[in-house]
Amino acid sequence: MTAPSTYGLSTQARNLQWLLTDLVEEVPGVNSVAVVSSDGLLLLSSDPGGTASGAAPGQGQGQAPARTKGPRGASADLATIVSGLGSLTTGAAALMEYGEVKQTMVAMEHGSVFVMAISDGSLLGVHATPDCDMGVVAYHMALFVGRAGHVLTPEVRSELRQSMENTP
């Protein structure tokens, strides 16, 4: 994976992008990662150019069906899924009076999706392979959340939104 350009970003925004890139490159089984704001906007992505780098392989015996790209590719798809799962689980927790949702995991035949709360309603989403070590993925997500939570200020969120909007 080629790291996205961080030219013109603040030190905090560059550090968050570095942490996100490190999560994808260093944790076995992680295909793509997205950070989504509380209002569902994509802030950071391991796929900022909109290519489907974590896309499933073409059709065949025992393989997932070919993906159709969304409006901006895999990053937009993951952001939509993360935002929806975050909203659904928050509503479910409120109905059951169980407190705040810390993590959601969906295991599917051809992959897994993890969602973890960061701060201020922001969410970290990870798309991983079906054979990933879920404990390792969750551990590294928790590390990211611990490091990113205090840095993800309203100013940095605004800067990241602008950066994602300007990505071709």
Side-chain angles (χ1 to χ4, degrees), residues 40-51:
L41 296 175
L42 183 62
L43 298 177
L44 276 172
S45 172
S46 61
D47 179 31
T51 60

Side-chain angles (χ1 to χ4, degrees), residues 4-166:
S5 172
T6 57
Y7 179 77
L9 294 179
S10 67
T11 300
Q12 294 89 349
R14 283 193 312 268
N15 287 343
L16 286 172
Q17 185 63 56
W18 179 85
L19 285 170
L20 186 125
T21 300
D22 191 54
L23 181 62
V24 173
E25 292 179 351
E26 299 299 321
V27 180
V30 171
N31 289 329
S32 59
V33 181
V35 174
V36 180
S37 67
S38 59
D39 53 358
L41 296 175
L42 183 62
L43 298 177
L44 276 172
S45 172
S46 61
D47 179 31
T51 60
S53 61
Q59 293 204 11
Q61 185 86 355
Q63 293 180 333
R67 284 181 90 263
T68 303
K69 289 185 189 178
R72 289 184 55 201
S75 58
D77 293 346
L78 183 58
T80 301
I81 292 164
V82 167
S83 181
L85 283 173
S87 179
L88 179 65
T89 56
T90 298
L95 282 172
M96 292 191 270
E97 298 178 355
Y98 282 178
E100 292 184 25
V101 176
K102 297 180 187 213
Q103 181 177 356
T104 302
M105 194 274 301
V106 179
M108 298 163 280
E109 185 177 356
H110 297 289
S112 298
V113 175
F114 300 81
V115 179
M116 190 174 285
I118 297 177
S119 63
D120 255 5
S122 297
L123 300 167
L124 171 65
V126 171
H127 167 242
T129 61
D131 60 344
C132 71
D133 183 328
M134 293 179 189
V136 170
V137 173
Y139 171 76
H140 283 279
M141 288 177 72
L143 288 178
F144 180 95
V145 166
R147 293 173 181 156
H150 68 283
V151 176
L152 208 50
T153 63
E155 295 81 16
V156 172
R157 281 195 302 273
S158 177
E159 179 183 2
L160 293 170
R161 278 189 196 144
Q162 284 291 330
S163 168
M164 290 303 293
E165 289 172 5
N166 295 333

